[in-house]
Amino acid sequence: MSATEAFQRRWDATMMRNYGTPPVALVGGSGCRVTDADGREYLDLIAGIAVSSLGHAHPAVVDAVSKQVATIAHTSNLFINPPALQLAERLAELMGVDGVRVFLSNDGATANEAAIKTALRARPGRRRFVAAENSFHGRTLGALALTGKAAIREPFGPFGIDVAFVPYGDAAALVAAVDGDTAAVFLEPTLGEAGVIPPPAGYLTAARAACDTVGALLVVDEVQGGIGRTGAWFAHQHEAVVPDIVTVAKGLGGGLPVGACLATGEAAVALQKGDHGSTFGGNPVSCAAALAVIDVIESEGLLKQVDELGEEWMGALGACSGGVLKGVRGRGLWIGLDVPGAGPAIETAARRQGFLVNATGPDAIRIAPPLILAADDAESFSAALPSILDAASSAMEA
Ligand SMILES: *Cc1c(COP(=O)(O)O)cnc(C)c1O
């Protein structure tokens, strides 16, 4: 039995069945490469779902985390911890508007829970929300209520908030759904879990206008798209739109768990003392990692690099279109391959050829590598893609 199979048996015996049994056990990583339990190496083009933004074992993250854990690892929110304060200040600056206030969470779902409570406080008496079909906002009950995939939401309802779902990218449908009872509209800047599907240009601007007409808040869930993934600090910054609330998490901590709910204007002051909290939220070790991530993105000019490499790479990947690959979409290093019915077969074929990518479902492959990805690593995947697609097609015929 291989080391991977031994891990899989133990996993099957003890872990709850919510994840199924993963095909690989990862035991190490360096830069954009990871190693499995049997010593196989992979180019990591999924980065723990858009999380490991500086790759694995980046010296800046290792150093920041090591120093912080040896200094003070936890304070709780009964006390100020300076890394949390500094991270909040940095995030507020990156938003580029005045009056931003920050709640630090542990992850994406809890950043969105904070956003939901903020909206309910800012719009007392309104309990209605609007969100998109096929959206994903997290697995906790509030965030799940907003998640537009019936298969993962419906078994757990009903929920305490009323949510209307509209087709993503359809501005007219959004305008029609938003009314005087709407506390907030929750939108991803691009659908991530649905397979990296960007909206038509101007969608967030139209959403902003629809919210302003009735006094609803616009919440942009940048848990996956924020912190450099699209070549901007926040994906909404590609449009001249200022959301009331922005949530971030995945890429923020470079692999350590931390999220944030950033609010502007009246939403920034909607939560009062005692309204919300988290024991671990904003813990100093995760915040030190996040500060290192932001510093490296800035000092190494990664926003520009992500923007340019993404554009070039999407061109190269698109040139492999034909057969099961119908098209390529996305922005920066957040790329979706349109592969109707072939997603899982391509994920497996890519892994056998040494590349980790992710089938978000039957019809799409998501690519979300570390932001430090080098051009020649990107090229190695473009070069392998035709043979990966062939292998996937043969496996599907067999
Ligand atoms: C992953 C994700 C979440 C949930 O984040 P968790 O850290 O898994 O709770 C929420 N919103 C979006 C857009 C995501 O991609």
Side-chain angles (χ1 to χ4, degrees):
M1 186 168 37
S2 71
T4 300
E5 285 162 350
F7 277 127
Q8 287 173 323
R9 282 199 183 188
R10 285 167 54 197
W11 180 281
D12 276 343
T14 304
M15 302 300 271
M16 283 196 188
R17 292 178 169 159
N18 57 306
Y19 296 118
T21 303
V24 172
L26 292 181
V27 298
S30 175
C32 294
R33 290 191 160 63
V34 289
T35 308
D36 77 10
D38 289 298
R40 282 180 295 256
E41 194 179 87
Y42 305 87
L43 180 63
D44 183 5
L45 299 180
I46 188 60
I49 316 186
V51 166
S52 305
S53 39
L54 302 186
H56 302 276
H58 191 287
V61 174
V62 171
D63 188 52
V65 165
S66 307
K67 282 193 176 130
Q68 189 60 47
V69 78
T71 303
I72 186 165
H74 178 74
T75 62
S76 84
N77 292 298
L78 299 174
F79 308 101
I80 292 172
N81 87 69
L85 180 56
Q86 202 187 338
L87 177 60
E89 289 166 349
R90 290 291 272 125
L91 288 169
E93 262 168 48
L94 299 179
M95 276 277 287
V97 294
D98 289 337
V100 175
R101 286 180 184 271
V102 180
F103 172 81
L104 293 171
S105 69
N106 299 298
D107 56 27
T110 56
N112 284 333
E113 293 294 332
I116 294 167
K117 287 175 77 172
T118 299
L120 291 172
R121 272 295 196 223
R123 291 292 175 271
R126 300 190 187 191
R127 293 196 73 80
R128 193 165 174 276
F129 290 78
V130 176
E133 289 167 9
N134 293 316
S135 64
F136 185 82
H137 297 292
R139 302 286 195 157
T140 53
L141 293 183
L144 187 60
L146 293 163
T147 288
K149 271 180 100 177
I152 66 172
R153 184 187 68 248
E154 281 179 349
F156 303 102
F159 306 96
I161 55 174
D162 171 25
V163 183
F165 291 100
V166 293
Y168 185 75
D170 179 342
L174 185 65
V175 170
V178 175
D179 64 16
D181 286 330
T182 306
V185 172
F186 269 70
L187 291 173
E188 293 166 80
T190 274
L191 293 177
E193 296 302 305
V196 194
I197 303 175
Y203 183 56
L204 292 182
T205 306
R208 176 73 275 176
C211 288
D212 290 345
T213 307
V214 299
L217 302 184
L218 176 63
V219 183
V220 179
D221 177 348
E222 300 231 16
V223 166
Q224 194 163 149
I227 316 298
R229 173 83 17 218
T230 65
W233 285 111
F234 300 98
H236 73 264
Q237 290 171 334
H238 294 293
E239 281 185 39
V241 56
V242 181
D244 298 285
I245 299 177
V246 173
T247 54
V248 291
K250 287 189 168 88
L252 177 60
L256 277 91
V258 60
C261 174
L262 316 174
T264 64
E266 38 172 337
V269 292
L271 288 185
Q272 299 305 315
K273 185 167 164 43
D275 275 348
H276 197 46
S278 165
T279 299
F280 288 107
N283 95 82
V285 177
S286 290
C287 291
L291 287 165
V293 166
I294 292 170
D295 281 350
V296 170
I297 290 175
E298 204 165 58
S299 65
E300 296 188 3
L302 291 182
L303 296 182
K304 186 160 179 277
Q305 184 177 313
V306 163
D307 183 52
E308 290 172 359
L309 178 57
E311 178 128 5
E312 192 183 302
W313 199 20
M314 269 194 285
L317 296 170
C320 305
S321 293
V324 293
L325 177 61
K326 305 297 179 206
V328 175
R329 60 199 175 218
R331 182 155 203 168
L333 290 179
W334 200 20
I335 298 172
L337 307 184
D338 180 18
V339 291
I346 293 171
E347 180 189 291
T348 302
R351 188 167 65 242
R352 295 206 170 120
Q353 297 195 29
F355 300 95
L356 298 184
V357 297
N358 164 244
T360 55
D363 303 331
I365 289 288
R366 168 171 46 189
I367 299 176
L371 306 182
I372 58 166
L373 185 74
D376 53 355
D377 280 337
E379 275 159 30
S380 72
F381 181 70
S382 321
L385 186 56
S387 96
I388 292 168
L389 296 173
D390 280 350
S393 302
S394 310
M396 285 174 7
E397 279 157 22

